[in-house]
Amino acid sequence: MKTHLSSEQASFIVRLAWEDRTSFEEIRERTGLVESQVIDLMRRELKPSSFRCWRKRVSGRVTKHRKLLELRLKGDRSAG
């Protein structure tokens, strides 16, 4: 699903996606975009090498997924 965003909106979402403390769930609540849409937006907006760096950075990062973070805070060490 393609979403038409202004350059300001796209920049805002890119900033949120780069922040370690902002989960994909929070991005969805604030912008309406689900994780796959954020990934598509990042792929379009970033240089290929920057996109790969971002994906490597967020893959498995517990703070990007609220459920993983909650498990980690409860003491489940296998959550990332």
Side-chain angles (χ1 to χ4, degrees):
M1 169 188 350
K2 289 223 174 184
T3 305
H4 298 288
L5 299 169
S6 69
S7 64
E8 293 84 16
Q9 291 169 319
S11 293
F12 175 68
I13 295 166
V14 167
R15 276 196 314 272
L16 289 176
W18 268 108
E19 290 178 357
D20 290 340
R21 296 177 312 267
T22 306
S23 68
F24 285 114
E25 292 85 359
E26 186 175 340
I27 294 171
R28 181 181 36 80
E29 291 166 3
R30 294 175 74 175
T31 67
L33 297 180
V34 296
E35 181 178 353
S36 62
Q37 292 172 307
V38 173
I39 293 169
D40 289 343
L41 176 104
M42 296 295 277
R43 184 177 279 119
R44 282 193 316 268
E45 296 294 320
L46 300 176
K47 295 178 193 176
S49 60
S50 297
F51 174 75
R52 286 190 302 271
C53 178
W54 174 76
R55 284 298 290 155
K56 183 177 179 180
R57 180 179 175 84
V58 300
S59 293
R61 187 173 289 267
V62 292
T63 55
K64 292 307 277 185
H65 299 277
R66 191 175 289 159
K67 197 169 233 35
L68 290 177
L69 180 59
E70 289 170 358
L71 287 173
R72 172 62 64 89
L73 292 175
K74 288 180 182 177
D76 183 359
R77 294 292 175 206
S78 65

